[in-house]
Amino acid sequence: MSVVKINAIVVPPHAQERFEERFRGRGGAVEKTPGFEWFELLRPIEGTDQYLVYTRWESEEAYRSWEGGQDFARAHDGGGDELAPAASDSHHLWSYEVVESSAPDRP
């Protein structure tokens, strides 16, 4: 059963462009991780300054393996950027099991 990890991160308006740039330049290491299924960075439209980082994994074990690895550490060290420490104090990690999902029915 797949698991979803959603990291809700408060990013002040003045830092949002830089935050998105960091994700665009992340190098794609997670995509090569065994058990990785999906990634999305969701920008808030209205009513909040929380970004959502959505990842989907084939199992909790696959996520834990990524979380404990060097690629995770490199992806989250901020590269000396002042944004990473600021965001790290204002985030929540939510975990869910996928009970049901669907996709478009295409020929």
Side-chain angles (χ1 to χ4, degrees), residues 10-66:
V10 174
V11 181
H14 73 276
Q16 290 178 352
E17 185 175 331
R18 178 66 183 127
F19 182 77
E20 291 179 23
E21 283 175 23
R22 285 196 52 228
F23 275 91
R24 280 191 292 278
R26 64 192 166 79
V30 71
E31 286 87 340
K32 298 175 183 106
T33 303
F36 170 79
E37 295 180 350
W38 199 263
F39 164 86
E40 290 180 313
L41 175 62
L42 306 177
R43 177 192 302 137
I45 294 175
E46 60 185 50
T48 184
D49 55 359
Q50 274 191 334
Y51 277 73
L52 300 180
V53 181
Y54 173 101
T55 57
R56 183 170 167 154
W57 302 86
E58 72 180 21
S59 66
E60 183 68 25
E61 293 76 23
Y63 171 77
R64 293 286 174 211
S65 180
W66 156 252

Side-chain angles (χ1 to χ4, degrees), residues 22 76-78 80-90:
R22 285 196 52 228
H76 292 83
D77 73 359
D81 187 290
E82 74 280 356
L83 182 57
S88 68
D89 291 336
S90 58

